[in-house]
Amino acid sequence: QVQLVESGGGLVQAGGSLRLSCTASGRTFSTYAMAWFRQAPGKERKFVATINSSGDCRYYADSVKGRFTISRDNAKNTVYLQMNSLKPEDTSVYYCAAAWGGITATPVGYDYWGQGTQVTVSS
């Protein structure tokens, strides 16, 4: 069992930056692929970024490529999402997720989810 806790969300002006963190319980963090998804009110959950267990392979949604960076520190059981040049359309609840089966951009591929952290970007 893996428990995920996100932090770092908040209110920021357009063009600003935020760094989200997701800390996992348990001793198997380094064996999981990790990802960030986001969900706006009334919309489906969408893929943002994913990173493999060793941290040397990353994929991003086209909408965030060049602005967001996913990284992980397996010694700290933590995955990060650095978000730069934020836009109002980035406003969402951001969720981290863990996958035993490797990286994927589809929510059904993930076994564990955090509770989410709100990111609001004002124009």
Side-chain angles (χ1 to χ4, degrees):
Q1 189 78 5
V2 176
Q3 292 185 326
L4 305 173
V5 179
E6 301 100 333
S7 61
L11 173 64
V12 64
Q13 290 188 330
S17 298
L18 281 175
R19 187 176 83 155
L20 306 183
S21 300
C22 172
T23 302
S25 65
R27 294 177 288 181
T28 59
F29 176 78
S30 62
T31 64
Y32 285 86
M34 299 297 296
W36 290 94
F37 289 80
R38 65 187 182 185
Q39 187 168 19
K43 298 190 175 181
E44 64 181 9
R45 192 165 296 188
K46 291 186 176 181
F47 168 73
V48 175
T50 185
I51 187 168
N52 69 342
S53 58
S54 59
D56 58 1
C57 185
R58 302 172 177 88
Y59 290 105
Y60 298 92
D62 288 343
S63 58
V64 307
K65 204 171 293 183
R67 300 188 298 124
F68 290 11
T69 302
I70 188 170
S71 62
R72 67 189 295 161
D73 185 338
N74 286 343
K76 295 182 178 180
N77 279 15
T78 301
V79 62
Y80 304 98
L81 186 69
Q82 178 66 44
M83 306 186 294
N84 298 329
S85 302
L86 282 161
K87 305 175 181 179
E89 52 263 44
D90 294 318
T91 296
S92 281
V93 176
Y94 283 72
Y95 298 89
C96 73
W100 175 252
I103 55 174
T104 175
T106 58
V108 295
Y110 288 83
D111 305 290
Y112 302 102
W113 293 84
Q115 82 290 348
T117 186
Q118 176 70 46
V119 171
T120 303
V121 184
S122 63
S123 57

